[in-house]
Amino acid sequence: MDINVFKFGGASISNANGVINVASILSKFSHQKIATVVSATGKTTNQLEDVVNAYYHKLADPLACLNIVKSNHLGIMKDLEIDDPNAIADVMDSFVEIDWVIEDEAHDPYDYIYDQIVSVGEIVSSKIVYHYLKSIKVNVGWLDIRDVLFTDEIHREAKVDWAISTEKVRSKVNELFSEYDLIITQGFIGSTTDNHTTTLGREGSDYTAAIISYCVDAKGMHIWKDVAGVLTGDPRKFDNVLKIERLSYKEAIEMTYYGAKVIHPKTIKPIQNKNIPLYVRPFDDPSSFGTTISTEGEMSYPPIIVVEPDQCLVNISVNDFSFVAEHHMSNIFKTLADLRLKVNMMRNTAISFTICVQNDQAKLKILKESLSCDFTIMITENLELITVRHYIDATIEELKKGKLVLFEEKLNDMVQMVVKDIPLIKRK
Ligand code: ASP
Ligand code: MG
């Protein structure tokens, strides 16, 4: 059986028109077996994070925050003319999972509570898409991905248990396809084997689609987006960006690792391991295949620019003037690994070691504390990491305008630089 896996992000289903557009794309593939992964609608994940923070840190009334989310979803259903009371109840009952949590005082750890609350965004969006498709007489099945996608207990960054998930996803999806041509399920969420909901990390729905693709040996995976495909830079930041027709898995994983937001970085490995092509397609032109990511990329690429904001440089220097030798390094890296803090660039001198990492205040505080015995730590904030693959000098010069370069490295045909804005000095 040929199965294709589709993924629609939150922006594509942020309102009723979006859902109708998704349905019209899906109708072009009727009689094919399509497993469709959806994210939470629009800004729902952020709004549910507000509920978590209101509840956990007692910042505001969590119920009031939750009501915003509920009424947004009711509004979408109303605009879609979903009026079957059972369908409405099915969607709204999903919020009970949150009601139960916020009724009591917060005893569980933050990350656990986060997963129980935020995951509901995906449950309700997938139910709305499902009920809308049913209301227009599509033969569609709904799958709670938590019944088949199992993870460890690291809440908010759960790791997939591949052995058990592969078996369960494959058999459940095949079973549903014997009855339906189309399955709607959720991205981003999973479950521990003792039935606690987990999440895979923000923007993780692409990754879920890749996991499903892997498990069912999909013919292709298709991410539908509001852009023409993978571009040579973020069109909100740069003019004259080009669409890339073909990207190799290697090129795609390098781009996304350094912050290209078009695909979640974890997406590539599962599909590369099974040699499944990934198409990044424009949802306003469904006949276009957008960009194809597979073993074969272009013969040569134009410069591709990736900008990762909110970075900082952490300078770690040894207090007793001993060299930053291997034993110090292994100590530093163990701390970084335990904190799951990703190093974007690094450099060492005789007695100091400098890394560029995401400016995650909570993690950096722990890093400082854990290393303070042997090291002095200095942090420079408000930086950007610019990565240019296949660079030409003119591109680099252009990017440096108005910027102070604090750290730059060239390797093969890639340049990375950590920069900050030069404040404009004006004559009074
Ligand atoms: N809804 C989740 C998020 O916004 C997952 C996703 O969109 O991929 O992070
Ligand atoms: Mg999202």
Side-chain angles (χ1 to χ4, degrees):
M1 179 176 14
D2 278 348
I3 297 173
N4 280 285
V5 178
F6 283 8
K7 183 259 171 174
F8 292 95
S12 52
I13 49 170
S14 59
N15 54 31
N17 282 340
V19 177
I20 293 168
N21 188 35
V22 167
S24 96
I25 292 176
L26 291 172
S27 70
K28 297 188 170 49
F29 298 88
S30 53
H31 311 301
Q32 298 185 36
K33 301 295 184 197
I34 310 283
T36 298
V37 170
V38 297
S39 310
T41 64
K43 295 269 167 276
T44 301
T45 304
N46 292 354
Q47 290 169 338
L48 289 172
E49 286 185 341
D50 292 344
V51 175
V52 178
N53 292 328
Y55 166 67
Y56 192 85
H57 299 299
K58 297 195 166 66
L59 293 174
D61 177 10
L63 266 178
C65 299
L66 181 58
N67 281 338
I68 300 174
V69 182
K70 286 185 180 173
S71 74
N72 286 348
H73 288 84
L74 273 171
I76 297 177
M77 281 193 284
K78 188 164 167 279
D79 294 343
L80 288 169
E81 294 171 9
I82 298 175
D83 41 24
D84 172 4
N86 292 328
I88 298 173
D90 183 35
V91 173
M92 297 315 283
D93 284 353
S94 314
F95 287 110
V96 172
E97 291 189 37
I98 303 181
D99 292 331
W100 281 339
V101 176
I102 62 182
E103 238 166 51
D104 291 330
E105 284 287 304
H107 296 303
D108 290 311
Y110 181 89
D111 289 353
Y112 173 83
I113 294 171
Y114 179 102
D115 281 357
Q116 310 319 303
I117 292 180
V118 171
S119 55
V120 174
E122 267 59 22
I123 299 290
V124 289
S125 65
S126 62
K127 283 188 171 173
I128 291 179
V129 173
Y130 164 74
H131 284 295
Y132 175 67
L133 289 164
K134 271 191 35 170
S135 76
I136 57 166
K137 307 282 177 281
V138 177
N139 180 29
V140 56
W142 183 82
L143 167 65
D144 189 332
I145 198 72
R146 296 172 299 180
D147 292 340
V148 289
L149 201 166
F150 291 97
T151 70
D152 64 9
E153 286 101 48
I154 308 293
H155 287 281
R156 295 182 68 190
E157 271 181 71
K159 282 212 174 60
V160 176
D161 181 333
W162 286 96
I164 145 160
S165 303
T166 305
E167 167 61 28
K168 297 259 183 203
V169 171
R170 182 186 298 144
S171 65
K172 188 73 195 173
V173 167
N174 282 317
E175 180 196 316
L176 287 167
F177 275 139
S178 65
E179 204 176 328
Y180 310 103
D181 288 333
L182 176 61
I183 301 171
I184 303 293
T185 193
Q186 311 79 38
F188 178 56
I189 68 177
S191 172
T192 64
T193 39
D194 35 344
N195 286 329
H196 294 288
T197 301
T198 52
T199 62
L200 308 175
R202 285 299 308 261
E203 308 303 330
S205 295
D206 295 345
Y207 183 40
T208 306
I211 297 165
I212 297 175
S213 300
Y214 177 96
C215 296
V216 303
D217 290 297
K219 187 159 176 260
M221 169 173 158
H222 311 242
I223 299 181
W224 295 89
K225 300 217 65 138
D226 56 356
V227 281
V230 178
L231 307 174
T232 51
D234 184 339
R236 288 165 302 187
K237 294 196 180 105
F238 300 104
D239 289 330
N240 306 329
V241 293
L242 305 168
K243 183 186 114 184
I244 308 166
E245 280 312 310
R246 305 189 65 83
L247 269 182
S248 64
Y249 293 122
K250 179 172 173 286
E251 189 60 40
I253 204 164
E254 293 287 352
M255 277 177 77
T256 54
Y257 183 78
Y258 290 113
K261 294 285 175 289
V262 63
I263 318 162
H264 190 282
K266 284 185 179 169
T267 311
I268 307 298
K269 183 181 187 299
I271 55 159
Q272 186 279 340
N273 289 176
K274 289 269 178 106
N275 210 353
I276 298 166
L278 165 61
Y279 307 95
V280 179
R281 306 177 66 163
F283 60 64
D284 52 7
D285 181 12
S287 60
S288 160
F289 275 85
T291 297
T292 303
I293 302 171
S294 65
T295 12
E296 267 161 52
E298 303 285 356
M299 293 288 284
S300 70
Y301 294 100
I304 301 174
I305 305 168
V306 181
V307 180
E308 184 78 312
D310 205 20
Q311 300 291 297
C312 63
L313 281 177
V314 184
N315 180 269
I316 305 166
S317 53
V318 188
N319 289 338
D320 67 359
F321 256 63
S322 58
F323 296 130
V324 180
E326 285 62 28
H327 73 281
H328 279 314
M329 291 281 206
S330 75
N331 184 2
I332 295 169
F333 272 102
K334 163 125 194 9
T335 315
L336 290 167
D338 290 347
L339 283 167
R340 282 168 279 136
L341 204 55
K342 187 180 123 210
V343 177
N344 289 329
M345 277 176 86
M346 58 183 142
R347 166 85 53 91
N348 71 307
T349 68
I351 55 162
S352 85
F353 182 57
T354 300
I355 53 174
C356 169
V357 293
Q358 184 79 28
N359 191 3
D360 181 326
Q361 300 277 337
K363 289 185 178 179
L364 288 170
K365 186 164 172 269
I366 306 175
L367 180 78
K368 257 185 160 173
E369 283 160 9
S370 351
L371 296 177
S372 63
C373 275
D374 298 328
F375 305 95
T376 300
I377 309 221
M378 265 168 41
I379 299 181
T380 316
E381 296 181 312
N382 297 323
L383 308 175
E384 249 178 8
L385 169 67
I386 305 179
T387 303
V388 188
R389 298 187 53 75
H390 318 288
Y391 72 92
I392 51 172
D393 292 337
T395 316
I396 307 297
E397 288 321 307
E398 184 61 34
L399 289 167
K400 283 183 178 170
K401 282 186 187 152
K403 306 279 180 190
L404 188 67
V405 180
L406 302 182
F407 184 8
E408 180 173 357
E409 199 165 64
K410 292 186 183 176
L411 191 66
N412 301 326
D413 58 352
M414 180 164 108
V415 173
Q416 287 196 287
M417 29 192 196
V418 178
V419 302
K420 78 189 237 186
D421 287 334
I422 300 173
L424 272 182
I425 303 173
K426 283 197 191 129
R427 200 185 286 273
K428 280 190 184 158

